[in-house]
Structures are given as structure tokens and as C-alpha cells.
Amino acid sequence: MLQELHLARDEAEAARRAAEQAAQSKSRFLAAASHDLRQPLQSLLLFAEVLSAGTLGDRERRTMASIERALGALKMLLDAILDISKLDAGITTVSLHDVSVREMLEHIEAEYAGRAAERRLGFRVVSCDAVVRTDPALFGRILRNLVENALRYTDRGRILVGCRRRGDRLVVQVSDTGIGIADDKQQEIFEEFVQVGNSERDREKGLGLGLAIVRRLSGLLGHPVAVRSILGRGATFTLEVPLVRPAAGAGDAAPVATERADAPDGARTVLIIDDDPIVLTGLVAMMANWGQRTLAATSCNDAVDQMESSGVVPDLILADYRLQAGETGLAAIDRVWGHAGWEVPAILLTGDTAPAVLRSAHARRLRLLHKPILPPELKRAIEETWSQAAE
Ligand SMILES: Nc1ncnc2c1ncn2[C@@H]1O[C@H](COP(=O)(O)OP(=O)(O)OP(=O)(O)O)[C@@H](O)[C@H]1O
Ligand SMILES: [Mg+2]
């Protein structure tokens, strides 16, 4: 008897370890896949930007617009994978505020009413005066995922976003009159890559990551999420959020907008370090388009050589994280700092979503941008880095 118990315990332990390992290798796979896909996508985004800045005929301009739309969609998918990796790495920070539900829901209404109307769906938001304790950005991401789904999986009828009090909690609900979800799928849909009606895996229909992100965010915030649905008759997703006593104001709810820095006048020199020649050429071409001078290097040594031969100390370093021969962008930035004699403002670009990389950049307080980055985002990051350095 005792022996059987021991055996059962060992088996359970082995099963737990196997499950843990499976989860870890999944996390590593996601990080690796998104890294490898980000590289070529980054080059495509840069080249598209350079092309569309040139003179184009009508037909080419339309084709360019389609290319840019397709690239945008691809970037969105990769961003979703990155979101998951970040959540799994435990570096998504939660910043709790007293948030006015009315304000949150007004944003949602403004964002989606147009799209619902285009699809001839009713869209009603029934708001309330409650104030809840949550992270407004993460809470918004949960709501947006739920509303996106309601829109995607409803062909006719209406979508309703509402809220009601339940004790010391507020239940926010998103319901639709769409295709609904069978009983036996209602848990599964919260797993990564699970999609009920997309066996052909058409990427236009998403990846199946929305609810996996919702589940992680719900765990992180401690806001339980639930679903009720009858197949063919629509679905209702609910989210429970703690209420703040009515006396508290909703004053600090608005997320702080970052100031846009003015474009720097006069050309400055950007030192670009990337071992991928295609990405490097793309970045140099784009900087030139923006009126900046550039130094281009493919390794730590090359970066120092470039500075010596030109006699120029760059005003900014833009370094890829993973360089050849085991070198990293962090090491390259260090070398340039050593050579320049001061900490030149620097941006680290990475296609890596591996938790360790994210953490080490975080620890150095370096600005970290994830490939693929859209040219306007890169431009804004550069301007912000310069204006912070000038403070
Ligand atoms: N409101 C809904 N009505 C019916 N089915 C839904 C609804 N929301 C989600 N589902 C089902 O759950 C699956 C998983 O949803 P999830 O949001 O995770 O992925 P997705 O919407 O398919 O893709 P993504 O969100 O990554 O763009 C969907 O593919 C769909 O089958
Ligand atoms: Mg979705």
C-alpha cells in the first residue's frame, strides 16, 4: 500500500516536471520564432519606407499602400507574440490607479462604433459612474481584445458593453449575438493558438492569441474573466474589477501622454551597429532620408574603427542586440562609451523576446526597441532620446 502511494507520488511529480518543461520549451520557441521573423520584417519595413518616400506613379503608390497594410498586419501578429513573451518573462509592470469606468468605456465606444457600423452591427455601451482600481492600460487591453472578438465573431445583431455592481466589485461585460462557443471549447479558447473556426489557419483571421493574452493579464491584475455562451446564440465575456469607494475621485485616471519632441535641427551623426548588412543598409538609407549623417558598423571593433577613421563622435548609437561572434549590442555600446569618453545616448534594437535579454536591457535603463519597428516609431524614439539627453 505504502509502496503504491510512493509510486503514485513519483508519477505525479514526473508528470508535473514534464508539464513544466513543455511550458518552458513553448516559451523558448515563441521567443525564437518571433526573433527570426522580426529580422526580415524589419528590413521590409525600412525598404518600404525608402520606396514610398520616392516619386511613384498612381499604380505603384496603390501597390505600395497594399504592401504597407500587409506589413502592418504581420507586425501586429508578431507584437502579440511579443506581448505573451513579456508576460511570461514577468517583466510587465502593473501600475494601479483609480480609474473612471465612464472614461474608459467612452474610449472604447469612440474606437469601435465606426467599425461596428461598417459591419451593420448594433454597438451599445452602457456606462456607469463607478471608479475601479486597476491598471488602465492593461485593463484597456483586455477590453479591446474582448470587443475585437465580439466584432469578429458576430455577423448580425449587436454588441453590448455594460457594467453592473456585485458587492465590492464591478462586473464589466462584453456580449454579442454572434456564432457563440460550444460548451466543451469554452476553456480551450483561452489557450495560445486555439481557434475554433479557423482550421485552415488563415492569418487574416488572427493567430488565436487574443484570449491567451487576456488570460495572462487577468491573472496579473487579479481580475477574474469568465465566459458564458450558447452555440449559435452569442457569447458574453465578463471581467470582475474591484470598486473604489464612491468618495474617491477619478482624477488621476488619465494615462500620461508623452510629449512629442520637436525634430532636431541640423544634421547629427547616428552610429548604426548591425551585423545584418540588409538591415544596416536599410537603416542608413532611412537616416539619410531624415537628414541625419550616419556611421555604419557591423561589430564592436568596426564601430571603434569607424569613429577613429572619421574622427567623429556620434550623437546617438543605434545598436542591434545580437551581433556576430557572440557579441552583443550592449558590449558595443560600452566600447563606444569607453572610446568617446562619455555616455552617448543609445538605443538598443532587438528581435529578441527572450526573457533574459529583456531583463538585462531593463536593468541598464537602456531604451529598448523591438524589431520590427515602424519607421515613425523609430523616428519618435530617436527624437525622445535626444530631448531627454538635452535635459
Ligand atoms: N465573442 C466570441 N464569439 C465566438 N467565438 C469566440 C469569441 N471570442 C473568441 N472566440 C473563439 O475563441 C478563439 C480564440 O480567440 P482569441 O481572441 O484568442 O483568438 P483570435 O480572435 O482567433 O485571434 P487573435 O485574437 O490572435 O487575433 C477564436 O478563434 C474563436 O473561435
Ligand atoms: Mg481575438
Side-chain angles (χ1 to χ4, degrees):
M1 177 69 185
L2 199 61
Q3 205 175 7
E4 273 170 22
L5 269 179
H6 277 309
L7 218 67
R9 194 198 54 198
D10 289 351
E11 268 172 22
E13 173 61 16
R16 192 190 57 79
R17 248 185 277 129
E20 230 168 50
Q21 260 173 11
Q24 269 177 12
S25 64
K26 194 171 63 185
S27 205
R28 273 201 305 275
F29 169 75
L30 278 178
S34 72
H35 173 261
D36 290 354
L37 294 172
R38 268 157 198 279
Q39 293 286 92
L41 180 55
Q42 180 67 76
S43 326
L44 287 174
L45 285 166
L46 298 175
F47 287 131
E49 164 81 7
V50 172
L51 261 188
S52 63
T55 36
L56 295 177
D58 260 5
R59 229 185 84 193
E60 288 86 354
R61 192 163 294 287
R62 275 198 303 277
T63 312
M64 246 352 266
S66 309
I67 292 178
E68 279 171 346
R69 258 202 315 281
L71 291 174
L74 195 52
K75 179 173 151 40
M76 241 169 58
L77 296 180
L78 287 173
D79 283 347
I81 294 184
L82 178 64
D83 273 350
I84 294 244
S85 305
K86 272 195 196 153
L87 285 164
D88 285 349
I91 57 165
T92 307
T93 46
V94 174
S95 130
L96 294 176
H97 295 265
D98 292 351
V99 176
S100 143
V101 172
R102 189 173 294 284
E103 264 178 49
M104 279 299 297
L105 296 189
E106 270 169 12
H107 282 299
I108 296 283
E109 184 164 21
E111 234 176 294
Y112 292 103
R115 269 174 59 192
E118 262 170 35
R119 305 209 40 222
R120 297 175 189 287
L121 295 171
F123 188 76
R124 214 155 90 83
V125 174
V126 181
S127 206
C128 62
D129 284 321
V131 176
V132 292
R133 188 80 184 155
T134 188
D135 180 313
L138 303 181
F139 179 61
R141 259 161 72 195
I142 296 183
L143 272 182
R144 285 185 182 85
N145 266 303
L146 297 178
V147 174
E148 293 272 349
N149 281 350
L151 278 168
R152 187 183 275 168
Y153 301 108
T154 305
D155 285 327
R156 49 167 181 242
R158 51 136 194 88
I159 289 151
L160 176 76
V161 182
C163 45
R164 72 198 136 80
R165 286 164 204 266
R166 185 193 287 163
D168 56 356
R169 315 213 126 210
L170 188 77
V171 180
V172 180
Q173 100 181 34
V174 178
S175 36
D176 63 62
T177 55
I179 60 173
I181 307 145
D183 277 352
D184 62 334
K185 300 281 189 238
Q186 290 178 9
Q187 290 311 309
E188 244 174 77
I189 52 172
F190 288 93
E191 301 287 323
E192 304 88 74
F193 303 116
V194 171
Q195 297 185 294
V196 181
N198 189 16
S199 47
E200 70 279 21
R201 302 206 79 72
D202 172 0
R203 283 297 145 250
E204 292 273 302
K205 295 185 188 157
L207 264 186
L209 284 177
L211 289 178
I213 293 173
V214 165
R215 191 188 65 185
R216 284 166 171 79
L217 289 172
S218 137
L220 195 64
L221 293 169
H223 301 348
V225 170
V227 57
R228 274 180 293 120
S229 174
I230 298 174
L231 194 59
R233 305 263 300 272
T236 297
F237 286 81
T238 55
L239 179 66
E240 273 182 45
V241 198
L243 277 166
V244 176
R245 293 282 137 236
D252 60 345
V256 190
T258 35
E259 288 279 323
R260 278 291 300 273
D262 284 325
D265 13 279
R268 304 199 216 189
T269 303
V270 181
L271 168 60
I272 308 168
I273 310 171
D274 198 312
D275 61 337
D276 183 333
I278 303 184
V279 175
L280 193 61
T281 321
L283 284 169
V284 169
M286 199 171 66
M287 294 295 160
N289 257 0
W290 294 345
Q292 307 300 345
R293 281 188 292 264
T294 54
L295 292 174
T298 56
S299 66
C300 294
N301 281 340
D302 193 19
V304 174
D305 288 349
Q306 292 297 328
M307 285 169 69
E308 275 180 346
S309 62
S310 64
V312 171
V313 174
D315 303 286
L316 183 87
I317 311 166
L318 184 63
D320 186 32
Y321 177 76
R322 204 179 286 183
L323 301 175
Q324 252 152 45
E327 286 187 343
T328 67
L330 285 175
I333 290 170
D334 270 343
R335 282 285 295 284
V336 174
W337 283 357
H339 197 76
W342 71 290
E343 297 191 353
V344 179
I347 295 176
L348 198 59
L349 266 177
T350 174
D352 236 299
T353 59
V357 177
L358 301 180
R359 267 189 235 111
S360 71
H362 200 65
R364 300 276 297 262
R365 294 172 180 276
L366 269 178
R367 187 182 278 258
L368 183 65
L369 297 177
H370 291 283
K371 288 182 186 175
I373 181 165
L374 294 171
E377 287 175 66
L378 180 59
K379 194 166 185 196
R380 195 172 336 130
I382 292 176
E383 286 165 3
E384 278 171 11
T385 307
W386 270 328
S387 75
Q388 273 161 15
E391 273 164 15

Short mmCIF file of all heavy atoms in Angstrom, two decimals, residues 77 145-146 149-150 152-153 176 179-181 189 191 194-197 205-212 235 237, ligand 1:
data_model
loop_
_atom_site.label_atom_id
_atom_site.label_comp_id
_atom_site.label_asym_id
_atom_site.label_seq_id
_atom_site.Cartn_x
_atom_site.Cartn_y
_atom_site.Cartn_z
N LEU A 77 0.74 40.78 -35.62
CA LEU A 77 0.81 39.40 -35.16
C LEU A 77 2.07 39.17 -34.32
O LEU A 77 2.02 38.56 -33.25
CB LEU A 77 0.80 38.43 -36.35
CG LEU A 77 -0.47 38.44 -37.20
CD1 LEU A 77 -0.35 37.44 -38.34
CD2 LEU A 77 -1.67 38.11 -36.35
N ASN A 145 -9.40 43.42 -26.55
CA ASN A 145 -9.38 42.06 -27.08
C ASN A 145 -10.78 41.47 -27.11
O ASN A 145 -11.15 40.80 -28.07
CB ASN A 145 -8.46 41.18 -26.22
CG ASN A 145 -7.06 41.12 -26.79
OD1 ASN A 145 -6.89 40.74 -27.94
ND2 ASN A 145 -6.08 41.52 -26.02
N LEU A 146 -11.55 41.71 -26.04
CA LEU A 146 -12.89 41.14 -25.98
C LEU A 146 -13.80 41.77 -27.02
O LEU A 146 -14.59 41.08 -27.69
CB LEU A 146 -13.48 41.30 -24.57
CG LEU A 146 -12.73 40.56 -23.45
CD1 LEU A 146 -13.37 40.82 -22.10
CD2 LEU A 146 -12.66 39.05 -23.73
N ASN A 149 -12.96 40.57 -30.52
CA ASN A 149 -13.54 39.24 -30.75
C ASN A 149 -15.03 39.32 -31.03
O ASN A 149 -15.53 38.68 -31.96
CB ASN A 149 -13.29 38.33 -29.55
CG ASN A 149 -11.88 37.78 -29.53
OD1 ASN A 149 -11.14 37.93 -30.49
ND2 ASN A 149 -11.51 37.15 -28.43
N ALA A 150 -15.74 40.11 -30.21
CA ALA A 150 -17.18 40.23 -30.41
C ALA A 150 -17.46 40.70 -31.84
O ALA A 150 -18.34 40.17 -32.52
CB ALA A 150 -17.76 41.20 -29.39
N ARG A 152 -15.47 40.36 -34.47
CA ARG A 152 -15.03 39.38 -35.46
C ARG A 152 -15.98 38.19 -35.56
O ARG A 152 -16.15 37.63 -36.62
CB ARG A 152 -13.62 38.90 -35.09
CG ARG A 152 -13.01 38.00 -36.15
CD ARG A 152 -11.66 37.49 -35.71
NE ARG A 152 -10.58 38.43 -36.02
CZ ARG A 152 -9.34 38.30 -35.52
NH1 ARG A 152 -9.06 37.31 -34.69
NH2 ARG A 152 -8.40 39.14 -35.86
N TYR A 153 -16.56 37.81 -34.42
CA TYR A 153 -17.36 36.58 -34.43
C TYR A 153 -18.87 36.84 -34.42
O TYR A 153 -19.64 35.99 -34.00
CB TYR A 153 -16.93 35.67 -33.27
CG TYR A 153 -15.46 35.33 -33.39
CD1 TYR A 153 -14.51 35.87 -32.54
CD2 TYR A 153 -15.02 34.51 -34.44
CE1 TYR A 153 -13.16 35.59 -32.70
CE2 TYR A 153 -13.67 34.24 -34.61
CZ TYR A 153 -12.75 34.79 -33.73
OH TYR A 153 -11.42 34.53 -33.90
N ASP A 176 -22.30 39.57 -27.22
CA ASP A 176 -22.60 39.68 -28.64
C ASP A 176 -23.66 38.67 -29.02
O ASP A 176 -23.98 37.76 -28.25
CB ASP A 176 -21.32 39.47 -29.47
CG ASP A 176 -20.73 38.09 -29.30
OD1 ASP A 176 -21.40 37.10 -29.64
OD2 ASP A 176 -19.57 37.99 -28.83
N ILE A 179 -21.69 33.91 -33.29
CA ILE A 179 -21.73 32.46 -33.52
C ILE A 179 -21.67 31.63 -32.23
O ILE A 179 -22.03 30.46 -32.24
CB ILE A 179 -20.57 32.01 -34.46
CG1 ILE A 179 -19.21 32.37 -33.85
CG2 ILE A 179 -20.72 32.64 -35.83
CD1 ILE A 179 -18.03 31.80 -34.63
N GLY A 180 -21.22 32.23 -31.15
CA GLY A 180 -21.18 31.51 -29.88
C GLY A 180 -20.07 30.46 -29.82
O GLY A 180 -19.37 30.22 -30.81
N ILE A 181 -19.93 29.87 -28.65
CA ILE A 181 -18.84 28.90 -28.42
C ILE A 181 -19.43 27.66 -27.74
O ILE A 181 -20.12 27.78 -26.72
CB ILE A 181 -17.76 29.50 -27.50
CG1 ILE A 181 -17.29 30.85 -28.06
CG2 ILE A 181 -16.58 28.55 -27.33
CD1 ILE A 181 -16.96 31.85 -27.00
N ILE A 189 -10.42 27.90 -25.50
CA ILE A 189 -10.15 29.11 -26.28
C ILE A 189 -9.19 30.07 -25.58
O ILE A 189 -8.65 30.97 -26.21
CB ILE A 189 -11.45 29.88 -26.64
CG1 ILE A 189 -12.29 30.12 -25.39
CG2 ILE A 189 -12.24 29.11 -27.71
CD1 ILE A 189 -13.49 31.02 -25.65
N GLU A 191 -6.38 29.11 -24.39
CA GLU A 191 -5.02 28.61 -24.66
C GLU A 191 -4.46 29.31 -25.89
O GLU A 191 -5.21 29.72 -26.78
CB GLU A 191 -5.06 27.11 -24.97
CG GLU A 191 -5.63 26.26 -23.86
CD GLU A 191 -4.66 26.13 -22.70
OE1 GLU A 191 -3.46 26.05 -22.96
OE2 GLU A 191 -5.12 26.15 -21.54
N VAL A 194 -5.37 28.57 -30.01
CA VAL A 194 -6.61 27.81 -30.19
C VAL A 194 -7.66 28.71 -30.85
O VAL A 194 -7.97 29.78 -30.35
CB VAL A 194 -7.15 27.28 -28.84
CG1 VAL A 194 -8.55 26.68 -29.03
CG2 VAL A 194 -6.20 26.25 -28.28
N GLN A 195 -8.13 28.28 -32.01
CA GLN A 195 -9.20 28.98 -32.72
C GLN A 195 -10.22 27.92 -33.12
O GLN A 195 -9.86 26.90 -33.70
CB GLN A 195 -8.65 29.67 -33.97
CG GLN A 195 -7.63 30.74 -33.66
CD GLN A 195 -7.20 31.48 -34.91
OE1 GLN A 195 -6.58 30.90 -35.79
NE2 GLN A 195 -7.55 32.74 -35.00
N VAL A 196 -11.49 28.19 -32.82
CA VAL A 196 -12.48 27.17 -33.11
C VAL A 196 -12.77 27.07 -34.61
O VAL A 196 -12.79 25.99 -35.18
CB VAL A 196 -13.79 27.43 -32.33
CG1 VAL A 196 -14.82 26.35 -32.63
CG2 VAL A 196 -13.48 27.48 -30.83
N GLY A 197 -12.94 28.22 -35.27
CA GLY A 197 -13.43 28.15 -36.65
C GLY A 197 -12.38 28.47 -37.69
O GLY A 197 -12.69 29.01 -38.74
N LYS A 205 -7.42 35.92 -40.21
CA LYS A 205 -8.36 35.71 -39.11
C LYS A 205 -7.64 35.63 -37.77
O LYS A 205 -8.14 35.04 -36.83
CB LYS A 205 -9.15 34.42 -39.34
CG LYS A 205 -10.05 34.48 -40.55
CD LYS A 205 -10.89 33.21 -40.63
CE LYS A 205 -11.66 33.14 -41.93
NZ LYS A 205 -12.00 31.73 -42.22
N GLY A 206 -6.46 36.19 -37.68
CA GLY A 206 -5.76 36.25 -36.41
C GLY A 206 -4.97 35.00 -36.12
O GLY A 206 -4.90 34.07 -36.91
N LEU A 207 -4.37 35.01 -34.93
CA LEU A 207 -3.46 33.94 -34.55
C LEU A 207 -4.03 33.02 -33.49
O LEU A 207 -3.54 31.94 -33.27
CB LEU A 207 -2.20 34.56 -33.95
CG LEU A 207 -0.98 34.79 -34.81
CD1 LEU A 207 0.16 35.27 -33.91
CD2 LEU A 207 -0.55 33.53 -35.53
N GLY A 208 -5.05 33.52 -32.78
CA GLY A 208 -5.54 32.76 -31.64
C GLY A 208 -4.76 33.11 -30.38
O GLY A 208 -4.55 32.28 -29.50
N LEU A 209 -4.31 34.37 -30.29
CA LEU A 209 -3.53 34.78 -29.12
C LEU A 209 -4.27 35.77 -28.22
O LEU A 209 -3.90 35.97 -27.08
CB LEU A 209 -2.21 35.43 -29.57
CG LEU A 209 -1.15 34.45 -30.06
CD1 LEU A 209 0.08 35.20 -30.54
CD2 LEU A 209 -0.77 33.47 -28.96
N GLY A 210 -5.34 36.37 -28.76
CA GLY A 210 -6.06 37.41 -28.01
C GLY A 210 -6.46 36.96 -26.61
O GLY A 210 -6.13 37.61 -25.62
N LEU A 211 -7.15 35.83 -26.53
CA LEU A 211 -7.64 35.38 -25.22
C LEU A 211 -6.51 34.83 -24.35
O LEU A 211 -6.62 34.86 -23.12
CB LEU A 211 -8.75 34.34 -25.39
CG LEU A 211 -10.08 34.89 -25.94
CD1 LEU A 211 -11.10 33.77 -26.11
CD2 LEU A 211 -10.64 35.97 -25.01
N ALA A 212 -5.44 34.33 -24.98
CA ALA A 212 -4.29 33.88 -24.19
C ALA A 212 -3.68 35.09 -23.48
O ALA A 212 -3.25 35.00 -22.31
CB ALA A 212 -3.26 33.20 -25.08
N ALA A 235 -22.23 35.19 -27.28
CA ALA A 235 -21.34 34.92 -26.15
C ALA A 235 -21.27 36.15 -25.25
O ALA A 235 -21.45 37.29 -25.71
CB ALA A 235 -19.94 34.59 -26.66
N PHE A 237 -18.64 37.68 -22.31
CA PHE A 237 -17.41 37.60 -21.51
C PHE A 237 -17.53 38.61 -20.39
O PHE A 237 -17.96 39.74 -20.62
CB PHE A 237 -16.18 37.92 -22.38
CG PHE A 237 -15.80 36.81 -23.31
CD1 PHE A 237 -16.46 36.65 -24.52
CD2 PHE A 237 -14.79 35.91 -22.98
CE1 PHE A 237 -16.13 35.62 -25.39
CE2 PHE A 237 -14.44 34.88 -23.84
CZ PHE A 237 -15.12 34.73 -25.04
N1 LIG B 1 -17.06 36.53 -28.89
C1 LIG B 1 -16.76 35.33 -29.43
N2 LIG B 1 -17.72 34.61 -30.08
C2 LIG B 1 -17.43 33.40 -30.60
N3 LIG B 1 -16.23 32.81 -30.56
C3 LIG B 1 -15.24 33.48 -29.93
C4 LIG B 1 -15.45 34.76 -29.34
N4 LIG B 1 -14.30 35.16 -28.79
C5 LIG B 1 -13.40 34.19 -29.04
N5 LIG B 1 -13.96 33.17 -29.73
C6 LIG B 1 -13.31 31.92 -30.15
O1 LIG B 1 -12.13 31.77 -29.41
C7 LIG B 1 -11.00 31.67 -30.27
C8 LIG B 1 -9.78 32.29 -29.63
O2 LIG B 1 -9.93 33.70 -29.51
P1 LIG B 1 -8.63 34.62 -29.50
O3 LIG B 1 -9.06 36.02 -29.28
O4 LIG B 1 -7.68 34.02 -28.55
O5 LIG B 1 -8.03 34.42 -30.95
P2 LIG B 1 -8.49 35.02 -32.35
O6 LIG B 1 -9.52 36.09 -32.16
O7 LIG B 1 -8.87 33.87 -33.21
O8 LIG B 1 -7.14 35.63 -32.93
P3 LIG B 1 -6.34 36.93 -32.34
O9 LIG B 1 -7.09 37.42 -31.14
O10 LIG B 1 -4.98 36.40 -32.02
O11 LIG B 1 -6.35 37.90 -33.45
C9 LIG B 1 -11.43 32.35 -31.55
O12 LIG B 1 -10.71 31.89 -32.67
C10 LIG B 1 -12.90 31.94 -31.62
O13 LIG B 1 -13.01 30.65 -32.14
#
